[in-house]
Amino acid sequence: MATEILTHGTKVYTAPGAQFGTDALLLARFAVPKNKERALELCSGCGIVALEWHDQGYRGACTAVEIMPEASALCAKAVQDNDAAHITPLCADLRTLFLQGAQRGQFDFAACNPPYFAAGPRSPDPLRAAARHTDSCTAGDLAACAARALRDGGKLVLCQRPDRLADVFCALRAAGLEPKRLAFARKTAQDAPWLFLTEAQKGRKPGLRIEPDLLTGNGAVRYGAEHQQE
């Protein structure tokens, strides 16, 4: 187990198969829930998005869902050591969550840094392979879970590789989640994008805002006040 320290001192525990990168930090900074909002992190791994929100001052109720017990345990330890009891680690398969009527529409805000790869070489390490491949979390699985979890008007933010943009947008719309914001991340202005971030809202009309590119050559971008949500 290794320890990473976020900007304001929050500890994040990682291990092989439960690590994080610039993409997770960009996602956590793309939009932050308000303290009055009930939040959900799907595919949470070590809990990096929920913990980054905590590091930025978010203290609302947050559930961090992760299918791998080893990664969920790292999140639980970080919650305890950071006195972050408002975060609840939940080791569960998102495909089976919020299926009952009484469970639906509980959340105002959700985020997901999903597995990126549907095909290609797989790591011999089962934890790393599960974290990187979509066996247990396709775009459709993610969108359907978020749609069940969110109230009408609730928001989902996610990141993915640019070559999956059409797949993600089709899955979001099929689940009743309308893409509202889109930004691309590039190392420099001359490079092709390596990531996109999008925000969708449940049950809203079409209308997509394209935001300025995020240049990540010097590390993860921290959004200014103009990017924070109303």
Side-chain angles (χ1 to χ4, degrees):
M1 184 180 74
T3 303
E4 303 282 351
I5 307 296
L6 300 179
T7 303
H8 299 107
T10 300
K11 297 178 182 178
V12 182
Y13 300 122
T14 66
Q19 297 165 317
F20 68 90
T22 299
D23 54 351
L25 294 176
L26 288 173
L27 177 64
R29 297 167 182 175
F30 185 59
V32 181
K34 295 181 178 180
N35 284 330
K36 65 181 181 181
E37 293 180 320
R38 188 172 183 183
L40 177 69
E41 182 188 1
L42 299 170
C43 302
S44 67
C46 63
I48 178 56
V49 171
L51 292 167
E52 170 65 19
W53 287 342
H54 172 83
D55 197 62
Q56 294 185 48
Y58 171 68
R59 295 296 184 271
C62 181
T63 301
V65 177
E66 170 55 43
I67 194 172
M68 300 299 294
E70 299 86 350
S72 188
L74 292 173
C75 180
K77 177 172 173 53
V79 165
Q80 180 178 5
D81 291 353
N82 288 297
D83 192 23
H86 63 100
I87 300 172
T88 302
L90 175 61
C91 186
D93 187 333
L94 61 78
R95 294 171 295 183
T96 65
L97 286 177
F98 316 118
L99 295 176
Q100 302 300 318
Q103 300 174 333
R104 293 172 178 261
Q106 299 179 52
F107 295 90
D108 305 292
F109 196 98
C112 185
N113 180 9
Y116 288 166
F117 300 103
R122 296 177 65 91
S123 170
D125 181 344
L127 294 179
R128 183 171 174 79
R132 290 172 60 83
H133 286 263
T134 61
D135 305 38
S136 61
C137 180
T138 66
D141 294 333
L142 163 60
C145 179
R148 294 192 300 267
L150 290 169
R151 62 168 174 80
D152 185 55
K155 297 176 181 178
L156 167 68
V157 294
L158 65 90
C159 59
Q160 182 55 276
R161 291 163 59 93
D163 61 349
R164 301 291 308 283
L165 179 62
D167 295 337
V168 168
F169 274 27
C170 286
L172 291 172
R173 277 193 159 174
L177 300 168
E178 185 62 33
K180 303 299 287 185
R181 298 169 60 211
L182 175 65
F184 291 95
R186 308 170 187 265
K187 289 186 178 179
T188 71
Q190 290 73 42
D191 290 318
W194 62 273
L195 187 78
F196 75 85
L197 302 101
T198 192
E199 175 188 289
Q201 266 189 294
K202 182 176 176 178
R204 291 300 182 258
K205 295 179 180 180
L208 179 66
R209 183 170 79 244
I210 309 298
E211 299 190 347
D213 290 342
L214 312 176
L215 304 182
T216 63
N218 293 321
V221 173
R222 182 171 295 282
Y223 279 81
E226 68 275 13
H227 293 284
Q228 300 305 311
Q229 296 303 289
E230 298 292 337

